[in-house]
Amino acid sequence: MKEQIQYLESRIKVRPEIAIVLGSGLGPMANEVTDATVIPYEDIPGWPLSTAVGHAGKLIFGQLEGRNVVVMSGRAHLYEGHSIDKVVLGARVMARLGATKVILTNAAGGINLSYNRGALVLITDHLNLQGTNPLLGPNDDSLGPRFPDMTFCYSPRLRQLALETAQRIGSTLHQGVYACLSGPTYETPAEIRYLRIIGADLVGMSTVPEAIALNHMGAEVVAFSCVTNMAAGITNEKIHHDEVLETGRDVSQQFINLIRAMLPSV
Ligand code: HPA
């Protein structure tokens, strides 16, 4: 982590206070940053490159709504073959640079039948079903404690702010529990029935490792899913990655509006 921090400190003008991680199809948000310093992942030593279609691969430092932000456009996923350490490296580096408030976004399959395609959902809690955890192995005491509490993994303060902001701007914001699987296969209909029984409203392949690593470091996390498709077996249709990206693009403006409206109080 030291070499990435050293490199980025040499490139940026101001330290970020808020980090925003963009999920599949949500890339347009990166264009909203003003006074931007754009750093492609290839330039950062030891940074995992994004291979997923729909993920750009750059860090954008600058201002949004008067706040110093860093936008991570493109994240590393376990299914790409990255180690869990690499999956959370970006989140850890951004937090160490000063961004101790983090907005995570993702594309997810909708399990809760009250959602529909394009719905925005505030993540209230998660089920980590990836079979791994970024904190496995010797604890790095300089980052955080051995057994971090996860009761308030998704900041109650920021969740409240998100709900109030959505209401204020007239945007519908659902709430739900996100189940994180490794992918890269989408789920089977039986897996989706199982996930519903154990309490999942959403399913996806990201966000949870970052949320865990950030909580470990004492950062405040808020996370949103865009329901890009209903989960397997709910409709009679196959799931296509193109559809995931298209829905992400369709709702990205609504997403951007919500995040912008929240930012002054984050
Ligand atoms: N399952 C898992 N991950 C996803 C999905 C899904 O249906 N849609 C977008 N990301």
Side-chain angles (χ1 to χ4, degrees), residues 107-109 186-187 203-205 228-229 231 239 244:
Y186 290 118
E187 301 68 37
V203 59
M205 309 173 191
T228 50
N229 56 280
I239 298 163
V244 169

Side-chain angles (χ1 to χ4, degrees), residues 50-240:
S50 337
T51 63
V53 177
H55 285 261
K58 52 192 180 186
L59 286 182
I60 302 106
F61 291 85
Q63 269 91 51
L64 207 52
E65 298 294 332
R67 306 297 300 266
N68 293 323
V69 301
V70 52
V71 175
M72 186 170 150
S73 184
R75 53 151 68 90
H77 302 85
L78 212 55
Y79 63 73
E80 294 171 277
H82 295 300
S83 67
I84 190 77
D85 285 342
K86 289 278 181 179
V87 170
V88 298
L89 178 69
R92 281 181 170 152
V93 166
M94 293 190 297
R96 264 295 153 91
L97 286 172
T100 52
K101 297 153 205 288
V102 184
I103 301 171
L104 302 173
T105 69
N106 63 50
I111 298 176
N112 186 320
L113 298 175
S114 75
Y115 303 161
N116 45 30
R117 186 169 169 243
L120 293 188
V121 187
L122 175 66
I123 297 179
T124 56
D125 204 348
H126 71 229
L127 293 158
N128 178 14
L129 302 174
Q130 284 203 312
T132 187
N133 186 304
L135 307 184
L136 286 178
N139 186 54
D140 182 344
D141 295 331
S142 73
L143 293 178
R146 171 75 290 187
F147 298 111
D149 179 67
M150 286 287 135
T151 311
F152 303 111
C153 185
Y154 301 92
S155 157
R157 181 184 78 85
L158 293 178
R159 279 164 50 199
Q160 188 61 30
L161 174 66
L163 293 170
E164 284 169 7
T165 305
Q167 199 172 33
R168 175 164 60 81
I169 66 171
S171 189
T172 304
L173 183 61
H174 300 264
Q175 301 189 70
V177 173
Y178 177 91
C180 179
L181 278 67
S182 70
T185 48
Y186 290 118
E187 301 68 37
T188 63
E191 285 165 345
I192 294 301
R193 289 193 298 274
Y194 157 76
L195 291 174
R196 177 178 296 121
I197 289 165
I198 65 171
D201 298 298
L202 300 153
V203 59
M205 309 173 191
S206 70
T207 304
V208 166
E210 293 140 318
I212 292 172
L214 289 164
N215 262 265
H216 183 227
M217 295 175 76
E220 257 189 301
V221 175
V222 66
F224 300 93
S225 288
C226 164
V227 175
T228 50
N229 56 280
M230 289 310 285
I234 293 184
T235 66
N236 218 4
E237 285 155 36
K238 282 188 169 189
I239 298 163
H240 297 282

